[in-house]
Amino acid sequence: MIETNLCSLLGIKYPIIQGGMAWVAESTLAAGVSNAGGLGLIAAANAPVDYVREEIRKAKKLTDKPFGVNIMLLSDNAEEIAKLVCEEGVKVVTTGAGNPGKFVEMWKAHGIKIITVVASVALAKRMERSGVDAIIAEGCESGGHIGELTTMALVPQVVDAVSIPVIAAGGIGDGRGVAAVFALGAVGVQVGTRFLVANECTVHQNYKNRVIAAKDSDSVVTGRPTGHPVRVLRNKLTRQFQLLEKDKSTFLELFEELGRGALPRAAKEGDIEMGSVMAGQISGLIKKEQSCLEIIEEMFGEAEKIMRNPVWVK
Ligand code: TUI
């Protein structure tokens, strides 16, 4: 049984946190992951506050285990969501795409555990000073909004730079990935892409099928000129982005127009050609739909086997 100090920090059985995937991570997936022994998350993303409140209340009915809310700090309503999690008694908050420093005091006063996603050592250090409980070091193998460094390079540098627990994210799709990031000094993993195809995940079936069909080289990064690079699976939309990106005179508004509403178009409507199919580089590892419990037990079973009996020890 793999148990780390992340398990006691969050009150969970397996040291795994589900990715806070915008338009995807709803109460059913969050409760599925939490019931399976990990930490499930509801993604607030750009959703209206009332919607997020309802999802939190639904999750409370679906599980008696701890779950969290992911707050995307680029969102216009991040401040309102930051207050909502206090009102609703949410136990854990994860944040992404920015610096949550100004909310830390309020969340701590409400006994909320705070875990911040970072893509650099500098932000990890700043976050430790502001009092967060743990760091998720997310490499650019991840789907969605990404930083510059790979998980392999980022995680050990963050581990050396801070003394709070570090969770690894980006490029972890099976037990081999779990074992690998423990070797880098992580005390847990955050996994997004593999949970896209969970039975409990409500993303459109076309999206799941696209992830299952993906091969190693099918993910690309678009949007670099906007300052918000995003990893997605190749399709008609990414080809249009790539054409725009070649033309240096392209106005940023054109990018925005092409990207507007693209994630719900894929995740909710199932338009996987003109929608944004955010998924990580390990999509090529994913072969089938499974329950959250099967995914988690398989990952940690494999990891334990590798760590007990590494192939290189004779
Ligand atoms: O946030 C994510 N992944 C996301 S958010 C998202 S929604 C979106 N849609 C379109 C455009 C942009 C976002 C889809 N995927 N992951 C966590 C993460 N945070 N990765 C990288 C970062 C990050 C990057 C820069 C965190 C902080 C940061 O700098 C902040 C600072 O103040 O230095």
Side-chain angles (χ1 to χ4, degrees):
M1 180 82 193
I2 295 173
E3 210 179 310
T4 71
N5 57 2
L6 185 66
C7 299
S8 43
L9 177 72
L10 303 178
I12 55 179
K13 182 172 171 196
Y14 296 101
I16 181 168
I17 301 177
Q18 167 228 315
M21 300 170 283
W23 287 96
V24 171
E26 301 179 325
S27 51
T28 45
L29 179 61
V33 171
S34 289
N35 283 331
L39 186 83
L41 293 181
I42 293 165
N46 289 307
V49 175
D50 288 343
Y51 173 82
V52 180
R53 185 182 294 110
E54 282 315 305
E55 286 300 302
I56 293 169
R57 291 181 181 176
K58 276 191 210 165
K60 284 178 190 162
K61 290 202 180 110
L62 293 170
T63 184
D64 55 2
K65 304 273 191 317
F67 66 89
V69 171
N70 172 261
I71 303 184
M72 211 273 280
L73 296 163
L74 283 173
S75 164
D76 292 338
N77 67 1
E79 184 130 14
E80 287 173 83
I81 302 286
K83 290 182 188 144
L84 173 73
V85 293
C86 299
E87 289 160 20
E88 289 297 318
V90 170
K91 302 277 186 293
V92 185
V93 162
T94 69
T95 67
N99 182 342
K102 63 178 177 183
F103 304 125
V104 168
E105 208 179 307
M106 173 176 73
W107 289 334
K108 284 185 93 73
H110 283 83
I112 297 175
K113 297 279 184 273
I114 309 162
I115 309 181
T116 303
V117 182
V118 304
S120 70
V121 165
L123 189 60
K125 283 171 137 171
R126 235 184 298 151
M127 289 298 95
E128 180 178 43
R129 280 198 299 273
S130 72
V132 305
D133 297 282
I135 296 284
I136 298 173
E138 187 185 273
C140 60
E141 296 94 323
S142 293
H145 178 51
I146 53 170
E148 290 292 338
L149 295 172
T150 60
T151 300
M152 181 81 120
L154 177 68
V155 171
Q157 295 188 69
V158 173
V159 166
D160 284 350
V162 299
S163 35
I164 50 178
V166 176
I167 297 133
I172 304 163
D174 63 17
R176 293 170 295 184
V178 174
V181 297
F182 281 133
L184 299 177
V187 297
V189 294
Q190 176 172 270
V191 169
T193 304
R194 179 113 185 231
F195 285 122
L196 279 172
V197 302
N199 302 137
E200 294 91 333
C201 180
T202 52
V203 76
H204 198 284
Q205 188 63 39
N206 296 352
Y207 202 121
K208 292 186 179 184
N209 295 345
R210 177 68 187 94
V211 171
I212 288 169
K215 55 183 193 301
D216 59 343
S217 55
D218 273 353
S219 87
V220 292
V221 180
T222 60
R224 287 202 192 279
T226 65
H228 300 303
V230 172
R231 182 178 300 285
V232 287
L233 298 183
R234 280 177 208 287
N235 59 11
K236 218 180 258 175
L237 179 70
T238 63
R239 285 189 287 277
Q240 293 190 5
F241 265 117
Q242 281 162 342
L243 282 177
L244 284 179
E245 285 172 26
K246 268 200 200 119
D247 177 0
K248 297 277 183 279
S249 64
T250 305
F251 288 105
L252 287 183
E253 292 90 89
L254 264 178
F255 277 103
E256 278 166 21
E257 196 178 309
L258 198 55
R260 197 167 300 132
L263 182 54
R265 204 179 303 136
K268 293 288 176 201
E269 293 166 33
D271 182 352
I272 55 161
E273 277 307 321
M274 282 308 289
S276 200
V277 186
M278 294 186 184
Q281 285 187 328
I282 54 83
S283 294
L285 275 181
I286 294 174
K287 301 287 180 246
K288 58 176 190 286
E289 295 177 44
Q290 289 171 298
S291 70
C292 292
L293 186 66
E294 286 167 339
I295 292 172
I296 293 177
E297 288 190 340
E298 191 176 294
M299 288 182 89
F300 281 88
E302 279 171 12
E304 196 169 332
K305 222 151 117 193
I306 294 166
M307 289 189 286
R308 273 188 203 286
N309 228 339
V311 289
W312 58 90
V313 175
K314 291 288 173 237

